[in-house]
Amino acid sequence: MSTTEDVLDHHLEAFGDQDIEATMADYADDAVVITHGDVHRGREAIADWFETELFTEFEQPDVTFDLTEKTVEGEYAYITWEADTPDTDYEFATDTFVVQDGKIVAQTLGVKATSKH
């Protein structure tokens, strides 16, 4: 069985590769992702969010992403990061993951970002 850190590391690599199948392999069927103003329930809704919002933003040329903190404690993982895309300056972002039985069952995302447009 994968550890929380294994799942997190795979998730970050899959996201960096913009690989939706590998990204979604990390989520339980009934996973929930909570962001500011939205709740994405289930793998289909989460996949749609990744493809229409995140991958669209982060697949652009000249994107930088810097993982500034990674802490894993049991079934919980916490990361902070900064990024810069042609559209947005992500000054500070944080994700918290809950991993059970080798799958992400819950995730939260919060960002402080400034649009460049």
Side-chain angles (χ1 to χ4, degrees):
M1 183 185 314
S2 299
T3 67
T4 299
E5 188 162 18
D6 292 340
V7 173
L8 177 60
D9 289 345
H10 180 265
H11 179 71
L12 293 171
E13 181 179 336
F15 179 78
D17 292 342
Q18 305 287 293
D19 184 335
I20 192 63
E21 289 181 22
T23 299
M24 294 316 301
D26 295 326
Y27 287 90
D29 291 339
D30 59 349
V32 175
V33 177
I34 302 169
T35 65
H36 34 279
D38 281 318
V39 177
H40 310 281
R41 292 179 185 85
R43 288 172 47 111
E44 186 176 321
I46 295 167
D48 183 60
W49 173 62
F50 268 98
E51 289 183 307
T52 61
E53 294 185 36
L54 299 177
F55 285 175
T56 301
E57 173 96 15
F58 284 89
E59 72 184 358
Q60 299 178 79
D62 301 320
V63 169
T64 61
F65 178 91
D66 183 30
L67 184 66
T68 55
E69 180 180 353
K70 178 175 94 170
T71 303
V72 176
E73 182 65 36
E75 64 183 20
Y76 305 102
Y78 172 81
I79 62 171
T80 61
W81 51 274
E82 302 167 348
D84 189 58
T85 74
D87 298 326
T88 309
D89 178 16
Y90 292 87
E91 302 159 49
F92 177 81
T94 180
D95 288 89
T96 300
F97 301 87
V98 180
V99 177
Q100 296 173 345
D101 299 322
K103 298 287 185 185
I104 299 167
V105 297
Q107 176 184 354
T108 63
L109 167 66
V111 300
K112 180 178 190 234
T114 304
S115 174
K116 295 180 179 179
H117 302 286

